Amino acid sequence: MGVQLATAGISHELEIKISLACNLLHACDLSIDLRPWIDGSCDAVVVDLNDRFGRLVYDMAVRRQLRILAFTTEHNLVDPGTKTLERDISVVAIAMTLREILGGKIRLNSRGNLPGLLGITQRVHGFDEPTVARCGSLEVMLRPSAGRIHFTSRSDIDAAKNRLVDKSWAVSRVKKISIDKQAWANSFSLDGFLIGSCRRHEEFLPVFGEQEYRLTVWPDLGGLIEDVDVLRMTVALHALSWSVTGLANHLGISATRANSFFSATLASGTLERVPKSIHAELGSHFPITSSIQNRVPALLKKVACHFKVRI
Amino acid sequence: MSMPNTGKSVKLLFAGPQGAGKTTAMSAISDVPPLSTDVAIASGSLSDRNTTTMAFDYATVSLRSNEILHLYGLPGQESLDFMGDIVGRGAVGALLLLDASSPHLTEDYAYWINALKKIASGVKIVVGVTKVDVVEWFSIQEIRRCAADNGAYSAPVLTVDPRDYLQIIQLVSLLLLTI
C-alpha cells in the first residue's frame, strides 16, 4: 500500500494537477493513494486555504501534526512546518514538493531497473528488431541497435519527453516487414533523446549509489547543442569509471545532473557498471587526479574560450 | 596563396569524402566564408552538387590577442596523397564528416580514420555523420561495428547538420575536450 494523501477544498483543475503529480511520483516508485479528506486517516493532506473547508482541514491537520501541502498566496499566514505553493504552479513543481513532504529520493535497485520508457529502452538494448512502445495514444518506435528513436509526428516528440518516466508505457515488438517507414519518418538519436529527456525529469529518477560506471561506447550526442556539461561528462566517463557523486565533484556539477546522465546512458546501453576489481586496474592506468587542464596548451584554451567551452 | 605560420597557431582539419559537408561546416563557424578551390563537377555526375573541392578549403577564426584558429578542409581521396602531408602537419584535431546517404559509409569511415592518423600523427578525431535525415532507416551501429571490427581508433561519433553553427560548435567542443 502507498502513501495516503487526502485533499480538501481543492478545485477540479488543481485536483487534476495533483493527480498528474502523483502519477509522476509513481514513476520513481513513490506510490500515492489520493482521495478526498474524510476522517483524517491519512499520512498527509493537500488543502486550498482560500476554501473554508480547506482551511478547516488545515487547522485539524496542524493539530494532528500531519504533513501538509497548502495552496495559498499568503505564505506568511501558515504554520512554519507547512509547505506552500501558489495555484498556478506546474505539475512538476507540485510533484517535487510532494516528494519532499512524503519522502526522500528513490535509490536505483540492485538490478539497476529504470522506470517508464527508460526501462523499456534498457530491456531491449542490443535488439536488431524495432520495438514499438505505447503510453496511452502515444507511440514511439525504438531501434536500439541502430541507436535511433522514431515518431509518427513531431508533436509526439515533446509528449514522449514529458512522459518519459510514466509507468503506463507498454511494449510490443514488431517485425521489420510490417513497418511503414514513411509513417515513422521523424527520427532522432536515441542517446540524444534520452539524455535530453532525463534532464527534464532529473528530480524524479532513481538515484545511483556509489557504484562506478563507465561509457563503453561514445553516445551519439546529436541534437544536444549548447550543453557543455554533457560533453564533459561523456569525455570523463569514456576515459575512466566514475560514481555519480565522484563525477559531479570532479566536474563541479550537481549530483542530480550527473545522475540524469547516468540514467540516460544506462538505458541506451552505452554505460556499464564496472566491477571493483576492474576499476582498480583502470585506476592504475589513468590516475583520477589527472586534470585535463594540465595538458591543454594556452592557445587551445583560447580556442575553447572563443567557443565558450569550459575545459 | 601563402600558407600561414602554424607554429604558434592552432590548426583544425575538416576531413571526409566529397559531399559530406566539410566546406559547409567550415562556413558555419569561420569569420569569413572559406577560401575554396571548388571547381564545377563534370556533367553526367550522379551527385546533385554543382561543385567539388579539388585542393583544399581554408578559413580562419579570430581569437582574442590577435591569434588565429586555422581551419583546413582536406581534399577528397584523389588529392589527399600529395596534399595531406602539407595540410595535416601540426594539426591538433580533425572533424571527420561522413555522408550517411553514401553506400560507402563504413568504408569511408575506415579510410579517413587511417588517412588522418597517417597525415597527422596523434591527431584527435571527432566524427560527424551528416544527411541522416535523408536516409530512411539510418543506423549508427554500422559505424560503431566497423570501429570495433577493425580495432580502429575509438573516435566519438555524432549525427550532425553541417549547416548549423551550434552543431558544429558541439563537434569542435567535444574535440577540444578530448585533446
Side-chain angles (χ1 to χ4, degrees), chain A:
Chain A
M1 196 170 79
V3 177
Q4 305 290 311
L5 184 65
T7 59
I10 299 293
S11 68
H12 180 61
E13 186 192 354
L14 206 46
E15 197 174 316
I16 291 171
K17 278 188 178 180
I18 295 164
S19 175
L20 288 170
C22 291
N23 280 340
L24 255 182
L25 292 172
H26 260 286
C28 51
D29 284 342
L30 188 53
S31 179
I32 299 174
D33 179 14
L34 186 67
R35 57 196 173 86
W37 170 280
I38 300 171
D39 54 3
S41 58
C42 59
D43 301 303
V45 295
V46 184
V47 296
D48 188 330
L49 296 184
N50 266 20
D51 181 273
R52 282 183 64 187
F53 179 57
R55 186 90 216 178
L56 187 69
V57 170
Y58 168 75
D59 290 337
M60 282 193 280
V62 170
R63 281 199 299 276
R64 293 182 188 187
Q65 296 183 324
L66 292 174
R67 289 168 282 181
I68 308 167
L69 169 58
F71 287 93
T72 179
T73 49
E74 297 168 16
H75 303 277
N76 53 338
L77 296 182
V78 296
D79 183 80
T82 300
K83 287 281 176 190
T84 59
L85 290 174
E86 301 207 359
R87 289 171 199 81
D88 57 354
I89 199 83
S90 68
V91 170
V92 171
I94 294 173
M96 286 167 66
T97 311
L98 281 176
R99 195 180 62 184
E100 199 181 326
I101 292 169
L102 300 173
K105 296 196 171 189
I106 307 301
R107 295 187 78 81
L108 188 72
N109 64 29
S110 58
R111 284 182 291 178
N113 294 337
L114 293 163
L117 185 58
L118 281 176
I120 290 175
T121 312
Q122 189 182 23
R123 288 197 294 280
V124 299
H125 166 63
F127 283 17
D128 285 329
E129 294 289 301
T131 299
V132 172
R134 291 189 177 85
C135 180
S137 60
L138 176 66
E139 284 190 332
V140 302
M141 181 188 287
L142 302 166
R143 291 172 56 227
S145 64
R148 306 296 289 176
I149 182 167
H150 295 249
F151 304 88
T152 53
S153 76
R154 294 194 74 81
S155 59
D156 282 355
I157 302 164
D158 210 42
K161 282 184 178 178
N162 284 337
R163 297 188 203 171
L164 182 80
V165 291
D166 196 304
K167 278 204 166 174
S168 57
W169 281 102
V171 64
S172 65
R173 204 150 293 142
V174 292
K175 290 180 181 172
K176 274 183 185 168
I177 201 161
S178 66
I179 296 167
D180 176 3
K181 291 184 179 178
Q182 286 297 324
W184 295 97
N186 295 291
S187 147
F188 292 89
S189 153
L190 180 58
D191 297 313
F193 171 82
L194 293 174
I195 292 167
S197 304
C198 281
R199 180 86 200 273
R200 196 176 285 195
H201 297 272
E202 62 186 15
E203 293 291 338
F204 304 101
L205 296 168
V207 177
F208 285 65
E210 287 308 306
Q211 179 65 45
E212 301 207 337
Y213 291 79
R214 190 177 185 193
L215 284 171
T216 53
V217 177
W218 289 100
D220 171 12
L221 305 176
L224 294 170
I225 52 174
E226 296 189 282
D227 196 340
V228 176
D229 285 340
V230 161
L231 302 181
R232 295 167 73 220
M233 285 190 279
T234 301
V235 172
L237 274 167
H238 194 267
L240 281 174
S241 62
W242 293 96
S243 66
V244 164
T245 47
L247 183 67
N249 291 337
H250 178 68
L251 297 178
I253 58 175
S254 74
T256 309
R257 181 86 169 93
N259 194 74
S260 85
F261 184 79
F262 274 56
S263 301
T265 49
L266 185 69
S268 72
T270 54
L271 188 77
E272 281 184 7
R273 194 168 160 166
V274 178
K276 280 187 178 169
S277 56
I278 293 180
H279 172 247
E281 194 181 314
L282 286 170
S284 65
H285 289 96
F286 301 94
I288 288 178
T289 51
S290 74
S291 165
I292 195 166
Q293 286 196 319
N294 297 336
R295 295 184 277 117
V296 181
L299 202 51
L300 267 185
K301 283 184 186 170
K302 287 177 184 167
V303 175
C305 182
H306 178 84
F307 291 117
K308 299 183 174 60
V309 184
R310 284 174 290 135
I311 57 176

